[in-house]
Amino acid sequence: MQPGVLWQTVLGEIELSVSHGNFVTWFKNTQLLKHDKDSLVVGVPNIFIKQQLERKYGDLIAQTLDKNGVKVATIEFKVSSLAAKPVVEESEVVVAASTASRQAPAPKQTKLDNSLGHSYRQGLNERYTFDSFVVGASNELAFAACQAVAQQPGTKYNPLFLYGGVGIGKTHLIQAVGNTVAGKNPDAKILYISTEQFVQEFVDALRFRKTAAFARHYRTADVLIVDDIQFIAGKEKMQEEFFHTFNALHQANKQIILSADKPPKDIPTLEDRLRSRFAGGMSIDMQVPDFETRCAIVQNKAASHDSELDAEVVEFLATSLHTNIRELEGALNQLLAYCEMRGLEPNLTIASSLLNVSKTRPKHLSAKQIIERTARHFQIPVEDIVGPKRDKDIVVPRQVAMYILRNELKLSFPKIARELGRKDHTTAIHSVEKIEREARTDTSLRTAISDIREQLYA
Ligand code: ADP
Ligand code: MG
């Protein structure tokens, strides 16, 4: 096989076994520099990609080569100018104009006291604006919906329900709606509240016999924003109260905006009637921003601190902190503060020494852990995944578990079959192949696999 073709084949296979983000970050811009019977030299764009490939992906690369009939004694990674540098400017990221954004002003919190004194802006933090939000594929739908709602609250998507993991910009966007409406309409009564605080206020209202005032306060909002509504799960009285508040607002065409870490159907112990109310408007799934978007967020944020970072530092941060923008911001702030105090220019060496990036794989990942994680992800009992049932909602998770067992633990097919309570190892072969094939086109399947993987290595 031609060296170029060989490497393309290897990359093609690796692309299927790691998350898309990881592939783009670590593999996409590599190339084969040299290949003879003893050694193989891979060109990589920079030192931290080299380190990451050596530490984390060496085995995977060797195995993939092996699968393609190539056995070499050593694989070397070499920083090479030939290996294309990922060019951030080329991305399709739209950076909302934000040159004017300065240091965030102190949050303008007007807290409710026990007398439930009214205020028209409750809980809004001016820092969260549409301008300071970086839009990419993972959040463009949510961004567009929030902007539409901010233009005409109460008319379009009601309720607007944003859901997704921690630190990916849900609070930022729903607050931006509140801020935008507030800017356009000074008389609007805009109430933002976290569900935990909402519950606390409700409990206080019960205790101080002020439930009527509590209800009045929230039922007269023009825009009610309740963040992290999953925390209402299991709180029956609060759910009852919120149901009535919801209906009162909805009937009066007042805007309701909710966020949660999962879609309404997956929030446990949520009354059905609330579940159907929540899902009755527009629900939008937000994902972790992709690599290019994360780079743009870092650049944007650095610019707001009047600091300009080298592309390699930006990329380093964006690759090291890839699941949570809050953590990414934290790392950037830490780096900027460290350098400012010492009068240094931020560079890769400082960034990598500040950040402990040795998030290597735990050595004792077991088949049992993989099966449990997979079952938990799909919210089915472990007994079912290893049991005889053949319903689709059980079979697919079972196949995913087989696929992950194969990819992460390199178990043999007979062993995989046994782990999942199957007698016939050809089932395991077909399952792994099927998931491999479907993951190429099915993004939700890919996301599920990478989520499970992230959790296993978290
Ligand atoms: P969530 O509510 O989803 O947990 P947040 O909205 O609190 O996340 O976001 C965490 C931090 O990351 C905030 O400081 C927020 O401003 C920032 N952030 C998240 N996504 C973006 C983005 N696309 N552009 C700019 N900042 C972002
Ligand atoms: Mg939040």
Side-chain angles (χ1 to χ4, degrees), residues 7-8 11 23 25-32 42-45 49 53 77 82-84:
W7 194 239
Q8 284 315 312
L11 289 183
F23 181 77
T25 311
W26 306 116
F27 292 95
K28 197 163 168 239
N29 297 296
T30 58
Q31 56 171 218
L32 195 55
V42 179
V44 299
I49 292 184
L53 289 177
F77 299 94
L82 280 178

Side-chain angles (χ1 to χ4, degrees), residues 65-240:
L65 282 165
D66 197 11
K67 261 210 239 164
N68 286 282
V70 178
K71 276 199 198 316
V72 286
T74 61
I75 301 174
E76 192 191 329
F77 299 94
K78 207 170 156 186
V79 178
S80 151
S81 57
L82 280 178
K85 219 172 165 338
V87 184
V88 174
E89 286 78 9
E90 264 179 16
S91 75
E92 287 161 16
V93 174
V94 185
V95 180
S98 72
T99 37
S101 55
R102 287 154 289 109
Q103 185 79 12
K108 196 164 118 188
Q109 292 268 3
T110 22
K111 210 184 163 301
L112 217 63
D113 62 19
N114 274 336
S115 66
L116 294 161
H118 291 184
S119 100
Y120 287 106
R121 306 284 148 75
Q122 178 189 303
L124 289 183
N125 180 338
E126 289 168 356
R127 173 168 102 83
Y128 297 121
T129 62
F130 287 128
D131 277 355
S132 63
F133 193 82
V134 178
V135 185
S138 64
N139 56 28
E140 61 187 357
L141 210 59
F143 183 80
C146 284
Q147 279 201 317
V149 165
Q151 290 314 311
Q152 287 180 308
T155 56
K156 268 210 160 127
Y157 309 126
N158 208 8
L160 176 63
F161 190 104
L162 299 190
Y163 65 92
V166 179
I168 58 170
K170 300 185 298 297
T171 298
H172 188 135
L173 275 184
I174 59 183
Q175 282 254 347
V177 178
N179 282 318
T180 305
V181 178
K184 289 202 313 183
N185 182 357
D187 293 333
K189 180 172 175 181
I190 304 164
L191 306 181
Y192 166 92
I193 192 158
S194 71
T195 300
E196 282 157 310
Q197 201 187 335
F198 202 38
V199 170
Q200 189 54 50
E201 280 184 11
F202 179 60
V203 170
D204 288 347
L206 284 175
R207 202 164 52 158
F208 298 112
R209 300 177 193 284
K210 294 206 164 166
T211 46
F214 176 88
R216 209 177 322 116
H217 179 65
Y218 286 100
R219 288 178 202 178
T220 51
D222 292 303
V223 178
L224 174 62
I225 309 171
V226 186
D227 209 350
D228 289 316
I229 194 74
Q230 74 271 11
F231 292 127
I232 205 172
K235 313 234 164 37
E236 280 157 34
K237 275 208 168 127
M238 180 78 222
Q239 291 193 20
E240 165 85 29

Side-chain angles (χ1 to χ4, degrees), residues 25 291 294-295 298 313-322 328:
T25 311
F291 174 66
R294 295 198 303 277
C295 287
V298 173
V313 177
V314 172
E315 287 164 19
F316 172 74
L317 292 172
T319 43
S320 310
L321 294 138
H322 51 98
L328 180 58

